[in-house]
Amino acid sequence: MLTDRQLLILQVIIDDFIRSAQPVGSRSLSKKNEIQYSSATVRNEMSDLEEMGFIEKTHTSSGRVPSEKGYRFYVDHLLSPQALKQQDISQIHSIFAERIFEMENIVQRSAKILSELTNYTSIVLGPNHHENRVKQIQVVPISEGTAIAIIVTDTGHVESRRFSFPKDIKADDIEKMVRILNERLVGTSLMDMHDRLYKEIAIILKKHIANYDLMLKAFAEIMNIPVHDKLFFGGKMNMLNQPEFSDIEKLRLLMDMIEREENLYKLIRPSDGSGIQVKIGKENEVIAMENCSLITATFPIAGGQKGSLAILGPTRMEYSRVISLLTILSTDLSKALSSLYDKPPES
Amino acid sequence: MLTDRQLLILQVIIDDFIRSAQPVGSRSLSKKNEIQYSSATVRNEMSDLEEMGFIEKTHTSSGRVPSEKGYRFYVDHLLSPQALKQQDISQIHSIFAERIFEMENIVQRSAKILSELTNYTSIVLGPNHHENRVKQIQVVPISEGTAIAIIVTDTGHVESRRFSFPKDIKADDIEKMVRILNERLVGTSLMDMHDRLYKEIAIILKKHIANYDLMLKAFAEIMNIPVHDKLFFGGKMNMLNQPEFSDIEKLRLLMDMIEREENLYKLIRPSDGSGIQVKIGKENEVIAMENCSLITATFPIAGGQKGSLAILGPTRMEYSRVISLLTILSTDLSKALSSLYDKPPES
DNA sequence: GTTAGCACTCTGTAACCTTGAGTGCTAAAT
DNA sequence: ATTTAGCACTCAAGGTTACAGAGTGCTAAC
């Protein structure tokens, strides 16, 4: 479809634009070493490329700018897997050098370093707790009528909630309930717990404990885990540095979306396959992200779960570099998070 | 020092500027109902006010704008305690209508509502966990060589950390240690725990447990609580709506500071007395906040602790309204957070 | 097929003018 | 002795014009 020369020119145009954020003209192209043709020849080719929809003019006599279709083609066919600086690589690995045991901590650090290395905004979706299995349930009384319920899962995740109960319930009864809960619920996933509480546990509690229904209700209510997992961000403000967001209105739209976190779940939800996924501009189907691209890396975690790493930047993004960084980091993260589980990571 | 008329004019100038963000001229002032003098008279008074440093011109023939000294005077002497809309008040109270038991939740909601009602950025410093006292310590083994340590405090706060230990340590020993820790440490504040672990507990463990030092070290290391308490934000992006931040450079400076949270602790740290404190512009001693005012409300929580609520806005802030809102919310928050403690709130 | 040359187009910038809001001062009015 | 009216002056903002620079498209020559 495209001649070699057209491929070359398209690539140089996009590379140049990504670097400079300025429309690229035929003359400046023909001056480059890679391109041995006169500006007139380049102009002809550019005209063709425009006709095919890969590049656009911002006005009748301006240089050309990549279109979304152009970026798409660039990402799919022209991406030269750019070598990262050794420094960047070791900086990523350094996160995992210390032996850290908190998932949140690891994930937060990953988000931070990613945003620092790219100057874009990073978004990390940690492992899903829904499928964690209950390891132990405990209740710690705090004062008369209130107590803290704690659930520890097999991944080491701790959920705790304060709850109150009628005063005529005795410490004895609470202990009895905790014993029953542990006997019956250990091994259940958090997701299924609510169901089992009401179906299976309710019947047993009924036999042993007066006022069991109040206790059960209090306990069940507090123990529904939030629907969404927590998102971790790095460099939320990095978009301020991008010239495409010097327009404060665009900025506000985007920041609003980031702040509300609403659409983000849909966008970042791990896709079917593992690996890298690139969404360019309107492909994201969110108005605020018209000028943005989102690169998502999905990686496996032990237990069949998946994690996601994403970089949000302008469509004029350093695709090659970002993809390399995401690839490395997602591999590291996959290992690190998996090691926090009982089971070894699936590959 | 100032005549009644000068007071009146100063007040009207500042009120008007807070509303419109536009320099105020003599003619538009003399047209107001409150002011019965001709523009020439007003001009003379304004000239005096400028000489005294309460107002400034942005250029030789512009209207006047309040200076920091002007705002200071306004806040100290001219603030008419503006009545809030009933709607606003009930919206604040509504946070506390449901009986919520999670401190974080309450605090986060407060931050959110405050930012929504004011259109500024809110910052809430939750209660300090350092002075919480240990209620119970537990250790839940996760896999061979790793376990979760959980500390529940008298306020219902739960700290948990994953830690690893040498494999030759038996489950027995761990249980023994947990029993000792509970016997000795319940009632100790988190702040003092580290010390007591090494001084008092070490000696006891030595007698009962082989390899006690490794265990102790693992446990002590993970249990230092972060130096700073968590800050909660609302409306981080609200500054985008303020005309004083249409300059993207100023915006970046400010956002950077907010994102890094660095200076904020100093600024928001509860002051000696309870009550409201207003810091205007350069009084904050942070470059990024030259154009900002920070209003902080410090309120007591049970157990002699203090919490802080703050609003960060442009110097051109609705001082009166913000102060009213903070007063109400801090009272509510004081009660609500105190009720989560054993002891009744100190007044 | 490639290139040189030229007319044409559009942006951005600087220079200029005009308008409107505001000031300060002076002299008249109260 | 205040207060006000009047007037000259200043400055920012907005509009117009002119112009340089970068770029294109087309045609004709290589």
Side-chain angles (χ1 to χ4, degrees):
Chain A
M1 193 76 168
L2 288 173
T3 68
D4 282 357
R5 193 165 68 192
Q6 285 172 330
L7 290 176
L8 175 67
I9 289 178
L10 181 57
Q11 174 152 38
V12 176
I13 289 175
I14 298 184
D15 282 338
D16 195 78
F17 183 72
I18 285 176
R19 206 179 32 71
S20 70
Q22 297 297 326
V24 186
S26 56
R27 216 173 105 75
S28 70
L29 276 180
S30 77
K31 270 190 280 188
K32 302 217 173 218
N33 294 334
E34 303 100 297
I35 291 179
Q36 299 288 5
Y37 306 90
S38 75
S39 66
T41 309
V42 174
R43 263 204 298 286
N44 289 330
E45 298 289 27
M46 286 170 87
S47 180
D48 291 351
L49 286 170
E50 182 173 14
E51 209 171 334
M52 290 184 274
F54 294 114
I55 53 181
E56 307 172 330
K57 288 187 277 198
T58 58
H59 59 88
T60 34
S61 75
S62 74
R64 304 304 212 290
V65 156
S67 67
E68 288 193 10
K69 184 176 172 190
Y71 282 122
R72 182 82 265 166
F73 189 86
Y74 175 82
V75 168
D76 290 344
H77 302 108
L78 298 175
L79 227 50
S80 48
Q82 185 201 344
L84 292 171
K85 282 191 209 133
Q86 190 54 44
Q87 198 196 344
D88 294 344
I89 298 177
S90 56
Q91 209 170 338
I92 290 181
H93 289 321
S94 75
I95 306 179
F96 305 95
E98 315 169 43
R99 193 134 171 66
I100 304 164
F101 296 110
E102 307 308 314
M103 272 187 197
E104 294 220 349
N105 197 334
I106 294 178
V107 169
Q108 184 64 67
R109 277 165 183 246
S110 301
K112 184 161 175 243
I113 212 153
L114 210 45
S115 67
E116 282 169 0
L117 288 175
T118 60
N119 255 306
Y120 304 128
T121 300
S122 66
I123 310 171
V124 185
L125 180 63
N128 191 311
H129 296 307
H130 290 227
E131 297 179 16
N132 287 181
R133 290 170 190 290
V134 175
K135 190 103 187 176
Q136 191 169 332
I137 294 173
Q138 298 184 330
V139 172
V140 179
I142 289 299
S143 60
E144 210 177 318
T146 69
I148 307 292
I150 300 172
I151 296 185
V152 183
T153 72
D154 56 350
T155 66
H157 178 73
V158 177
E159 284 274 345
S160 73
R161 298 292 152 79
R162 181 192 289 254
F163 70 103
S164 67
F165 49 85
K167 292 197 176 164
D168 51 337
I169 289 185
K170 292 286 160 224
D172 238 25
D173 283 345
I174 291 181
E175 267 176 42
K176 215 185 287 176
M177 180 173 94
V178 171
R179 210 178 322 118
I180 294 172
L181 289 174
N182 271 307
E183 275 164 20
R184 297 287 163 167
L185 288 180
V186 167
T188 309
S189 72
L190 295 186
M191 210 168 44
D192 300 337
M193 210 174 60
H194 199 268
D195 254 21
R196 294 196 61 185
L197 270 176
Y198 274 111
K199 289 182 184 151
E200 186 180 335
I201 309 294
I203 299 166
I204 303 173
L205 286 182
K206 195 172 186 176
K207 289 186 205 154
H208 296 86
I209 299 176
N211 270 333
Y212 81 99
D213 50 341
L214 283 169
M215 283 288 289
L216 183 65
K217 197 170 156 230
F219 195 78
E221 251 176 29
I222 54 167
M223 273 306 158
N224 27 17
I225 323 297
V227 179
H228 288 304
D229 295 305
K230 211 165 155 191
L231 289 176
F232 295 82
F233 293 86
K236 267 188 184 176
M237 303 297 171
N238 280 1
M239 288 309 200
L240 282 174
N241 302 314
Q242 300 300 335
E244 21 274 285
F245 289 98
S246 60
D247 174 7
I248 212 149
E249 265 316 307
K250 280 187 194 159
L251 190 65
R252 175 150 52 199
L253 222 71
L254 184 64
M255 287 303 184
D256 234 59
M257 194 204 64
I258 293 179
E259 215 38 7
R260 282 133 62 88
E261 301 195 4
E262 209 174 272
N263 293 304
L264 291 178
Y265 286 104
K266 283 178 232 158
L267 289 168
I268 289 169
R269 177 134 309 289
S271 53
D272 334 312
S274 291
I276 304 275
Q277 196 192 7
V278 181
K279 291 240 180 194
I280 297 164
K282 299 204 184 68
E283 292 174 11
N284 290 299
E285 293 177 2
V286 174
I287 328 109
M289 288 180 61
E290 268 187 7
N291 302 295
C292 295
S293 283
L294 186 74
I295 306 188
T296 313
T298 305
F299 56 88
I301 311 174
Q305 288 189 58
K306 283 175 180 171
S308 290
L309 273 173
I311 286 285
L312 175 66
T315 44
R316 186 186 62 77
M317 200 196 274
E318 292 182 82
Y319 292 95
S320 175
R321 181 147 193 279
V322 169
I323 289 174
S324 303
L325 287 170
L326 283 179
T327 305
I328 295 185
L329 184 54
S330 65
T331 310
D332 281 6
L333 210 48
S334 178
K335 276 186 219 152
L337 293 183
S338 294
S339 78
L340 295 185
Y341 283 67
D342 277 330
K343 310 151 205 163
E346 302 171 68
S347 72
Chain B
M1 192 76 167
L2 288 174
T3 67
D4 281 357
R5 193 165 67 191
Q6 285 172 330
L7 290 176
L8 175 66
I9 289 178
L10 181 57
Q11 173 151 37
V12 176
I13 289 175
I14 298 184
D15 283 338
D16 195 75
F17 183 72
I18 285 176
R19 208 178 33 72
S20 70
Q22 296 299 325
V24 186
S26 58
R27 216 174 104 75
S28 69
L29 276 180
S30 77
K31 269 191 277 189
K32 301 215 175 219
N33 294 335
E34 303 100 298
I35 291 178
Q36 299 288 7
Y37 306 90
S38 75
S39 66
T41 309
V42 174
R43 261 201 300 287
N44 289 331
E45 298 288 26
M46 285 170 88
S47 180
D48 291 351
L49 286 171
E50 182 174 14
E51 211 171 334
M52 290 184 272
F54 293 115
I55 53 182
E56 309 172 329
K57 286 187 278 199
T58 59
H59 58 86
T60 34
S61 75
S62 73
R64 304 305 210 291
V65 156
S67 67
E68 287 193 9
K69 183 176 171 189
Y71 282 122
R72 182 82 265 167
F73 189 87
Y74 176 81
V75 168
D76 290 344
H77 302 109
L78 298 176
L79 228 48
S80 47
Q82 184 201 344
L84 292 172
K85 282 191 210 132
Q86 191 54 44
Q87 199 195 344
D88 294 344
I89 298 176
S90 57
Q91 209 170 337
I92 290 180
H93 288 321
S94 75
I95 307 179
F96 304 96
E98 315 169 43
R99 194 135 170 66
I100 304 165
F101 296 109
E102 307 308 315
M103 272 187 198
E104 293 222 348
N105 197 334
I106 293 178
V107 169
Q108 185 63 68
R109 277 165 183 244
S110 300
K112 184 159 176 247
I113 212 153
L114 211 45
S115 68
E116 283 169 0
L117 287 176
T118 59
N119 255 306
Y120 304 128
T121 299
S122 66
I123 310 170
V124 185
L125 180 63
N128 192 310
H129 296 306
H130 290 226
E131 299 180 15
N132 288 180
R133 290 171 189 289
V134 175
K135 190 101 186 178
Q136 189 168 335
I137 294 173
Q138 298 184 328
V139 172
V140 179
I142 290 298
S143 61
E144 210 176 320
T146 69
I148 307 291
I150 298 172
I151 296 186
V152 183
T153 72
D154 57 350
T155 66
H157 178 72
V158 177
E159 283 274 345
S160 73
R161 298 292 151 77
R162 182 193 288 254
F163 70 102
S164 67
F165 49 84
K167 291 198 178 164
D168 52 336
I169 287 186
K170 293 287 159 226
D172 237 26
D173 283 345
I174 292 181
E175 267 176 43
K176 214 185 288 177
M177 181 173 94
V178 171
R179 209 177 324 118
I180 294 173
L181 289 175
N182 271 307
E183 275 164 19
R184 297 286 162 169
L185 288 179
V186 167
T188 309
S189 73
L190 294 186
M191 210 168 46
D192 301 337
M193 211 175 58
H194 199 268
D195 254 22
R196 293 196 61 185
L197 270 176
Y198 273 111
K199 289 183 184 152
E200 187 180 335
I201 311 292
I203 300 167
I204 303 173
L205 286 182
K206 194 172 185 176
K207 288 186 204 157
H208 296 85
I209 300 176
N211 271 334
Y212 82 100
D213 50 343
L214 283 170
M215 282 288 290
L216 183 64
K217 198 170 155 232
F219 194 79
E221 252 175 27
I222 54 167
M223 272 307 158
N224 27 16
I225 323 298
V227 179
H228 288 304
D229 295 304
K230 211 164 156 192
L231 288 177
F232 296 81
F233 292 87
K236 267 187 185 177
M237 305 296 172
N238 280 0
M239 287 311 200
L240 282 175
N241 302 314
Q242 300 300 333
E244 20 273 285
F245 289 96
S246 60
D247 176 6
I248 212 149
E249 265 316 306
K250 280 187 196 161
L251 189 66
R252 175 151 52 199
L253 224 71
L254 183 64
M255 287 302 183
D256 233 61
M257 193 203 66
I258 292 179
E259 218 35 9
R260 283 133 61 88
E261 301 195 4
E262 209 173 272
N263 292 304
L264 291 179
Y265 286 104
K266 283 178 231 157
L267 289 168
I268 289 170
R269 178 135 311 288
S271 53
D272 334 310
S274 292
I276 304 274
Q277 196 192 5
V278 181
K279 290 238 181 195
I280 297 165
K282 299 204 185 69
E283 292 174 9
N284 290 299
E285 293 177 2
V286 176
I287 329 108
M289 286 181 60
E290 269 187 7
N291 302 294
C292 295
S293 284
L294 186 74
I295 307 188
T296 313
T298 305
F299 56 89
I301 311 174
Q305 287 191 58
K306 282 176 182 172
S308 290
L309 273 173
I311 286 284
L312 174 65
T315 43
R316 186 187 63 76
M317 199 196 274
E318 293 182 78
Y319 292 94
S320 175
R321 180 148 194 278
V322 169
I323 289 175
S324 303
L325 287 171
L326 282 179
T327 306
I328 294 186
L329 183 54
S330 66
T331 310
D332 280 6
L333 210 47
S334 178
K335 276 186 220 151
L337 293 182
S338 294
S339 79
L340 295 185
Y341 283 66
D342 277 329
K343 309 150 206 162
E346 303 173 68
S347 71

